[in-house]
Amino acid sequence: VESAKKSRKIIFRVIKTTIPVTVIMFVLIHAGMFDIVNKWLSGLTGLVPLSPKALSVVATRIASNVGAFTVAGNLLYAEEISGREVVLSLLVGNFLASGINLRFLIPYYLGIFGPGTGWQVLAISTGLRMAIMVAMIWALFVIWT
């Protein structure tokens, strides 16, 4: 009971994001908006071997975790993309959003460790995270292709 009370704010925040995004996604899918976006994103498929529809998940992930999960789930449910593309597009989006995440990580690490050690820990942590993510993305592309 107490844990439900504590998580109420988080649940309502997720619901407030998920329901409108889901409704908008279904409307946009049925209106053909993703076909227009797919034509625009199709040039990027040479850089990242994902379908243009999966690239829309990547673009959404850069802006919002919850939005990307909702978009990916809706596209998967509508059978517009495969489960493989969901995983890869979320990983690629997560990698590209790493730079944006620095706005949270810099004050965090500098606040805990101070400026000297904080920058070192931040560089090592971020570098390792990005290297592991690139290795995972590459391995999955190789395995699933």
Side-chain angles (χ1 to χ4, degrees):
V1 174
E2 190 169 321
S3 64
K5 288 180 184 178
K6 290 182 179 181
S7 61
R8 184 182 311 169
K9 288 181 183 179
I10 295 170
I11 291 170
F12 284 126
R13 186 180 67 193
V14 170
I15 289 172
K16 285 186 339 189
T17 302
T18 302
I19 290 175
V21 170
T22 300
V23 170
I24 291 168
M25 287 301 302
F26 279 121
V27 169
L28 292 175
I29 287 170
H30 291 295
M33 186 57 74
F34 275 94
D35 294 331
I36 296 167
V37 173
N38 292 340
K39 288 178 186 176
W40 182 73
L41 291 173
S42 63
L44 297 175
T45 57
L47 298 172
V48 180
L50 289 170
S51 72
K53 291 179 182 180
L55 287 175
S56 64
V57 176
V58 172
T60 306
R61 170 55 191 96
I62 293 170
S64 165
N65 276 334
V66 175
F69 301 149
T70 305
V71 169
N74 289 327
L75 289 172
L76 182 65
Y77 179 76
E79 296 181 357
E80 299 283 334
I81 61 176
S82 66
R84 169 193 168 274
E85 287 182 302
V86 168
V87 172
L88 290 171
S89 62
L90 289 172
L91 282 171
V92 170
N94 194 37
F95 174 77
L96 295 176
S98 294
I100 295 168
N101 293 336
L102 288 175
R103 69 178 184 216
F104 303 112
L105 295 175
I106 290 172
Y108 177 77
Y109 283 116
L110 296 184
I112 292 173
F113 299 107
T117 306
W119 284 111
Q120 291 174 345
V121 172
L122 175 66
I124 292 169
S125 171
T126 303
L128 284 173
R129 186 179 321 111
M130 293 180 79
I132 291 169
M133 207 175 320
V134 166
M136 284 179 27
I137 292 168
W138 178 81
L140 288 174
F141 274 122
V142 168
I143 292 169
W144 284 340
T145 303

